[in-house]
Amino acid sequence: MEYQLLKKPELGKKIEFKNDKISIPDNPIIPFIEGDGIGPDIWKATKSVIDSAVKKAYSGEKSIEWFKIHAGLSALKKYGNDDILPEDTLKAIKEFKVAIKGPLTTPVGKFDYVCLECSKEQDGINGKRPEKCIKCGSKFITPRFRSLNVGLRQKLDLYACVRPVRWYQGVPTPVKAPEKLDVIIFRENTEDVYAGIEFQKDSEDAIKLIEFLKNNLKKDIRRDSGIGIKPISVTCTKRLIRKAIDYAIQKNKPSVTLVHKGNIMKFTEGAFRDWGYELAISEYREEIITEQELWDEHNGKMPQGKILIKDRIADQTFQQVLLRPEEYSVFATPNLNGDYLSDACAAQVGGLGLAPGANIGDEMALFEATHGTAPKYTGMDMVNPSSLILSGVMMLQHLGWNEAADLIELALEKTISNKTVTYDLERQMKGATKLKTSEFGEKIIENM
Ligand code: NAP
């Protein structure tokens, strides 16, 4: 593949797919995006932790050839022309299949421009782009854009957002028994109210749609409404739930729970549940039983070696993860429910700043820190790199390099339970030692 401004590493081989199976060389080329704001600090620590673990686990027989690619601020610096998600970047992820990224700036306000250095948003001056940021003076001002993260997910069709949530010894939490929650959430990433089909109140399209619904389908919507459309398809539902069940089989997990609001939204959320059961029964008959079958045919006693497929209403799920967390293992959810549930579960184990994530498609996977760019800490070597490091752990597991993944996870847990932590955890722990981002990374390596 030809690149406009990127130079591929000279060493290393491609990860490939043969007969639907991933094939991993001993020295895969893996593209990485450092990210904006605190991205470079946390990436530096993450890279040295991953490299040290791989070296230690495989005595130098395996290694990663890192390939720097760009999005956000670093893309603007390299490519100019407001090109914050260059074609090169998409090509590299498509070619090498597995990539990892730090956080990227996503403006949410009503302003026309955003500074990629400090995230300050502002309007144009006399209808033109401001020459520099009114807050930090940077010249890297770019027009408002839809989320880069959403752009990456959609352009690469990374349809499953995967978020494992478990407690690490020593992390301060708001609940009494955080160790009881150990779940992984598979959230649909491409449709639902997040598909971006929205019409502003009073816009020509909103009015057209309101009139169409009234005249043709006899549905009344208040004239002064903004409108969002919520598509949920059988195709996207089934491919997401298939990923969740495959994961449960591969990792010997006891259950997969479909989370939905089907009691109210029958043809979207309710259909998600129905299509989920349909898929489980038609494609995984030997491996699964449904909760209905468990009671009708097995008197509530789980037969050995089977995975239980159950469903829960979304609001009830939020109660259940607090009250009976040990009954849940793998969740499959539509986009919006999954967004809420991932953060609620992460908060429960005290780990919003530690929560790792991945966006996975049929062949490609992009691993990422789940927090933002925390612009006020840019370049201060201060923040917690754990979210990106644990996303690196997920990446190593995806490669099947479990020995290296385990080394990191255990060493990170040891580092936190020894109370040698970055500022965010130090302020919540009595008697802890505050470390810089780089020092925290070094401690993890020392503890491997
Ligand atoms: P944020 O960057 O996540 O930061 C909010 C606060 O969370 C920080 O001020 C800090 O709290 C804490 N925090 C975040 N990451 C931390 C870390 N690694 N270590 C320690 N503390 C950490 O959220 P935001 O300020 O709402 O968003 C800033 C920018 O990031 C926006 O442009 C947003 O769109 C973008 N964003 C990107 C992603 C992504 O790329 N995946 C995700 C979310 C947001 P204290 O100051 O209280 O210590």
Side-chain angles (χ1 to χ4, degrees):
M1 213 175 276
E2 289 304 310
Y3 293 97
Q4 191 197 346
L5 294 181
L6 295 178
K7 202 168 164 295
K8 285 187 234 182
E10 285 175 4
L11 298 173
K13 292 201 177 123
K14 276 189 211 179
I15 291 173
E16 294 196 86
F17 268 81
K18 289 177 193 148
N19 306 327
D20 280 346
K21 281 222 160 74
I22 191 166
S23 153
I24 315 282
D26 281 342
N27 53 348
I29 295 176
I30 297 195
F32 69 95
I33 299 168
E34 275 187 339
D36 298 328
I38 54 173
D41 279 350
I42 58 173
W43 170 249
K44 208 167 155 204
T46 300
K47 179 180 173 301
S48 44
V49 167
I50 295 177
D51 285 341
S52 303
V54 169
K55 194 166 173 196
K56 201 170 170 79
Y58 308 110
S59 316
E61 281 177 15
K62 292 184 196 287
S63 62
I64 294 173
E65 292 299 328
W66 297 106
F67 178 18
K68 183 169 181 168
I69 60 173
H70 304 269
L73 179 59
S74 84
L76 206 58
K77 284 180 176 166
K78 194 166 178 82
Y79 292 81
N81 306 327
D82 297 335
D83 209 356
I84 47 177
L85 184 52
E87 204 45 45
D88 268 3
T89 298
L90 299 169
K91 268 192 199 168
I93 301 175
K94 283 181 190 158
E95 181 172 3
F96 295 103
K97 312 287 187 217
V98 171
I100 183 163
K101 67 173 269 291
L104 295 167
T105 305
T106 301
V108 288
K110 288 187 174 165
F111 298 94
D112 294 332
Y113 295 92
V114 61
C115 169
L116 284 180
E117 291 273 15
C118 75
S119 298
K120 175 77 187 165
E121 295 175 39
Q122 54 187 307
D123 273 328
I125 297 171
N126 299 329
K128 287 205 179 127
R129 175 196 300 238
E131 276 188 6
K132 54 185 184 180
C133 170
I134 46 172
K135 185 170 169 207
C136 74
S138 155
K139 63 181 171 43
F140 293 109
I141 309 285
T142 189
R144 197 154 79 91
F145 47 89
R146 260 196 96 205
S147 164
L148 269 178
N149 296 307
V150 174
L152 273 163
R153 286 169 206 163
Q154 284 180 347
K155 290 194 172 161
L156 300 170
D157 200 22
L158 303 171
Y159 57 82
C161 174
V162 183
R163 300 264 294 264
V165 184
R166 55 157 286 211
W167 181 64
Y168 290 94
Q169 182 99 32
V171 174
T173 89
V175 299
K176 283 188 196 146
E179 70 285 354
K180 286 186 179 167
L181 187 74
D182 183 0
V183 297
I184 181 160
I185 299 160
F186 285 76
R187 163 188 167 201
E188 206 290 326
N189 229 354
T190 62
E191 50 181 17
D192 199 348
V193 283
Y194 277 48
I197 311 172
E198 285 200 303
F199 304 97
Q200 194 171 14
K201 169 176 100 62
D202 294 335
S203 67
E204 202 183 311
D205 288 346
I207 292 164
K208 250 195 236 165
L209 197 52
I210 290 169
E211 279 172 6
F212 176 84
L213 290 169
K214 188 177 169 67
N215 297 335
N216 296 279
L217 301 175
K218 312 246 172 309
K219 298 283 181 196
D220 270 328
I221 292 185
R222 214 181 273 281
R223 169 74 175 65
D224 57 355
S225 302
I227 299 181
I229 306 268
K230 178 184 175 78
I232 290 198
S233 68
V234 63
T235 305
C236 294
T237 297
K238 285 194 172 175
R239 66 182 184 173
L240 183 269
I241 295 174
R242 193 176 288 119
K243 266 223 171 341
I245 300 180
D246 282 342
Y247 178 89
I249 293 173
Q250 210 188 355
K251 302 278 180 189
N252 277 327
K253 297 287 180 185
S255 68
V256 175
T257 307
L258 312 172
V259 181
H260 60 89
K261 194 72 187 152
N263 52 334
I264 306 293
M265 292 169 274
K266 294 190 174 41
F267 305 126
T268 50
E269 303 256 337
F272 178 89
R273 173 203 54 215
D274 296 345
W275 294 327
Y277 281 120
E278 201 178 287
L279 170 101
I281 291 167
S282 64
E283 294 185 19
Y284 299 94
R285 186 61 283 186
E286 292 304 309
E287 289 94 345
I288 62 105
I289 67 164
T290 64
E291 203 167 32
Q292 180 88 39
E293 292 164 344
L294 176 68
W295 291 103
D296 289 353
E297 296 163 26
H298 301 273
N299 210 12
K301 194 170 177 308
M302 241 341 247
Q304 270 221 328
K306 299 274 183 187
I307 294 165
L308 180 65
I309 307 290
K310 51 188 174 178
D311 72 280
R312 294 289 179 273
I313 307 269
D315 38 338
Q316 200 206 355
T317 309
F318 282 82
Q319 292 188 39
Q320 295 273 303
V321 290
L322 273 170
L323 302 174
R324 295 152 76 163
E326 60 276 54
E327 291 178 19
Y328 296 90
S329 173
V330 178
F331 285 114
T333 89
N335 210 335
L336 182 64
N337 296 335
D339 194 5
Y340 298 155
L341 189 63
S342 319
D343 273 18
C345 287
Q348 192 168 322
V349 294
L352 256 183
L354 268 73
N359 294 294
I360 301 182
D362 281 332
E363 291 196 357
M364 286 170 278
L366 178 60
F367 297 84
E368 66 171 2
T370 52
H371 56 70
T373 58
K376 64 183 172 185
Y377 300 116
T378 301
M380 290 169 75
D381 192 17
M382 184 168 159
V383 297
N384 190 344
S386 299
S387 170
L388 193 58
I389 291 175
L390 289 170
S391 304
V393 167
M394 285 179 82
M395 185 187 83
L396 292 168
Q397 288 164 343
H398 183 78
L399 301 181
W401 294 9
N402 294 321
E403 300 78 5
D406 291 351
L407 269 181
I408 299 178
E409 225 178 354
L410 288 171
L412 185 135
E413 188 155 31
K414 185 169 172 198
T415 308
I416 296 176
S417 56
N418 286 349
K419 299 192 174 186
T420 42
V421 289
T422 44
Y423 84 93
D424 52 314
L425 294 181
E426 187 261 350
R427 68 187 167 189
Q428 303 175 64
M429 284 175 163
K430 256 206 178 120
T433 308
K434 181 160 82 177
L435 300 182
K436 293 179 175 180
T437 312
S438 52
E439 292 169 337
F440 182 72
E442 284 156 19
K443 264 281 176 269
I444 296 176
I445 295 170
E446 222 176 279
N447 285 330
M448 275 176 199

